[in-house]
Amino acid sequence: MTSRIVKWILFFYCLSTVLLPVFVLNKLFFVPLFLMAVYVFISRPIKTIAPVVVFLIFLYGFLLGLLGGADADFSRQMILGAVSLFLIYSIVEFKVDMALIVKAVGAIFALIMCVFSFMLMVEPGSSLSVILLDFYNANELGYYGLRSFGGLDMFMLHHRSSPFLLLPLSLFFLDFLQVKRFWSLFFVVVILMAIIWSASRGLIVMAAVSMLVLYFYNKNWSARLLMLCALVPVIILGVGYLLTETSMFSSDEQSNNIKIGHIISFLNVADWKMLVFGNGLGTYYYTEGYGELAAQTEITWMDSVRYVGLPLSLLLFSVLLFPNRKYLASVQGSSSRLIMFMYLLMSLSNPVLFNSFGFLVILWYWSVVIKNHEPSALHAEVRR
């Protein structure tokens, strides 16, 4: 009974975190889950110390930021987000299927965004569209309009949590490859539409890359060669069009220019003290990308080095990928690591990791890795 209650509370926590990240609703679900996690941490054998390590790194950055004039609200939000990783103890103790929750939340989220996008494209002036759009804008849930990528204009309804869709897309696609379920394919299409209409270049590219990587990893050589024969002409034509008809890959394109400005400014302020110790969580620096002081940019790894230094950044990302000391190879674990690696790649040019929905992705990944270390999972892998 307790296990079922925990699973439902966790589902509503994840759903409210993704749909309404700026609301207090997810905090109401978080409190009982966190208290349960503390109880498990104190009274049960510890399966991983990863949440403790991540929290201590963030705490170090937070305290250092107090001395360096950091963005107080942002740094507080970061460290509170790190606290949410302690929910892994409740997830493991009550054997919560995080993949099922992630897919359910992703399916609901994508359906809502697709319906909303369709309404705005077909009947933008209808009373319902106006009401929903006013609510969307008033609560700063995302962006709506046309987005230009070097001459290529796209409809855009980008929710704050749109990058989260990469995870359920990958899981549904993996289900379809392995089991061939119709509903898995249906939600792959729905989530892809929501991703395309988000007009996030990084998300669209990583969605395609993730599906290709999972396909090649889970298929035999004949299927891989067939896919390559079909894809190579498409890729050549697509890249040729983007190179000749748009400025998407040009350094003068707005998004590219901003990221280049961030990196140049980072190199200008980098010194031994920052590289070794960091400047503190949420500290400001002047970036040519924005033309002003900023506490956060789109480049997660660079911000991490600015916040806590290079040694702790390497430790942080190592703990994220390997929450257990031992590495155990398994089919499910390898696919999950590929998905997590794709998400980390996306975070190189988008701020999608150290926030509310990014921590949900980490919780899902840790739950898979820890489950694969349990004796029953190991025996099942040996039998297979």
Side-chain angles (χ1 to χ4, degrees):
M1 184 65 180
T2 303
S3 177
R4 185 177 299 178
I5 293 173
V6 170
K7 291 175 183 177
W8 277 107
I9 295 176
L10 190 60
F11 166 74
F12 285 114
Y13 166 71
C14 294
L15 184 64
S16 56
T17 296
V18 170
L19 286 180
L20 303 168
V22 297
F23 281 57
V24 74
L25 183 60
N26 65 339
K27 310 299 189 297
L28 301 178
F29 296 115
F30 173 77
V31 171
L33 289 171
F34 179 71
L35 293 176
M36 186 66 71
V38 171
Y39 170 76
V40 172
F41 180 78
I42 295 172
S43 62
R44 298 287 192 274
I46 297 176
K47 299 291 181 69
T48 176
I49 62 168
V52 179
V53 175
V54 173
F55 176 74
L56 290 177
I57 293 174
F58 276 67
L59 180 61
Y60 163 79
F62 178 78
L63 296 176
L64 187 62
L66 294 178
L67 304 175
D71 184 332
D73 290 336
F74 175 72
S75 58
R76 194 180 305 115
Q77 179 184 351
M78 290 275 284
I79 197 166
L80 289 176
V83 170
S84 68
L85 294 179
F86 282 86
L87 298 186
I88 190 63
Y89 296 118
S90 295
I91 292 169
V92 172
E93 176 67 21
F94 295 101
K95 303 185 186 305
V96 177
D97 187 347
M98 277 299 291
L100 182 62
I101 290 178
V102 164
K103 287 190 289 186
V105 170
I108 294 170
F109 180 37
L111 284 170
I112 291 174
M113 295 306 294
C114 283
V115 171
F116 193 13
S117 298
F118 184 76
M119 289 172 57
L120 292 174
M121 285 188 285
V122 177
E123 289 290 342
S126 68
S127 57
L128 181 58
S129 296
V130 171
I131 292 172
L132 291 175
L133 189 59
D134 287 344
F135 175 83
Y136 187 81
N137 291 329
N139 292 284
E140 299 181 343
L141 294 177
Y143 309 96
Y144 163 68
L146 284 176
R147 186 171 185 183
S148 177
F149 293 110
L152 181 64
D153 293 329
M154 293 180 63
F155 169 86
M156 177 182 67
L157 184 65
H158 184 90
H159 192 283
R160 285 173 176 266
S161 303
S162 289
F164 170 80
L165 289 172
L166 180 66
L167 177 55
L169 171 71
S170 301
L171 294 179
F172 275 120
F173 186 67
L174 194 59
D175 279 352
F176 176 71
L177 290 177
Q178 296 174 346
V179 189
K180 300 293 189 298
R181 290 194 183 100
F182 167 78
W183 285 110
S184 297
L185 179 60
F186 172 77
F187 283 116
V188 165
V189 174
V190 171
I191 295 174
L192 274 176
M193 293 305 301
I195 287 175
I196 292 171
W197 285 335
S198 75
S200 172
R201 181 173 55 182
L203 177 56
I204 294 171
V205 170
M206 289 314 302
V209 171
S210 180
M211 293 173 68
L212 282 175
V213 169
L214 290 173
Y215 181 89
F216 278 88
Y217 182 77
N218 288 276
K219 289 295 183 178
N220 56 36
W221 277 106
S222 59
R224 294 171 186 173
L225 289 174
L226 185 63
M227 179 59 72
L228 274 177
C229 292
L231 279 180
V232 169
V234 174
I235 293 174
I236 292 175
L237 289 174
V239 173
Y241 171 80
L242 294 176
L243 287 173
T244 58
E245 301 298 328
T246 74
S247 58
M248 186 174 291
F249 299 112
S250 170
S251 60
D252 294 328
E253 194 270 332
Q254 184 180 16
S255 181
N256 295 336
N257 186 261
I258 289 174
K259 290 180 175 64
I260 292 171
H262 292 330
I263 295 174
I264 291 174
S265 299
F266 170 80
L267 295 175
N268 288 337
V269 301
D271 55 21
W272 72 268
K273 175 180 172 293
M274 186 193 76
L275 292 176
V276 175
F277 301 107
N279 292 331
L281 209 60
T283 47
Y284 292 96
Y285 88 118
Y286 180 82
T287 167
E288 295 179 11
Y290 294 148
E292 61 184 14
L293 291 172
Q296 182 188 30
T297 68
E298 294 100 327
I299 308 175
T300 301
W301 66 266
M302 191 180 72
D303 285 342
S304 179
V305 173
R306 284 200 307 109
Y307 295 156
V308 297
L310 183 59
L312 284 182
S313 292
L314 292 174
L315 175 61
L316 176 61
F317 282 92
S318 298
V319 170
L320 293 183
L321 277 173
F322 303 100
N324 290 84
R325 287 178 296 176
K326 295 181 179 179
Y327 171 79
L328 297 175
S330 68
V331 175
Q332 183 184 16
S334 297
S335 295
S336 300
R337 281 192 173 87
L338 285 174
I339 295 171
M340 186 63 189
F341 185 68
M342 294 299 107
Y343 196 87
L344 287 176
L345 279 180
M346 184 170 65
S347 74
L348 296 180
S349 60
N350 293 275
V352 299
L353 186 61
F354 299 130
N355 52 33
S356 55
F357 62 83
F359 288 122
L360 294 183
V361 175
I362 296 170
L363 285 173
W364 159 79
Y365 173 68
W366 283 359
S367 71
V368 174
V369 174
I370 294 172
K371 181 180 178 181
N372 286 339
H373 279 71
E374 294 179 350
S376 58
L378 297 179
H379 294 158
E381 190 67 30
V382 169
R383 286 196 299 271
R384 188 164 60 181

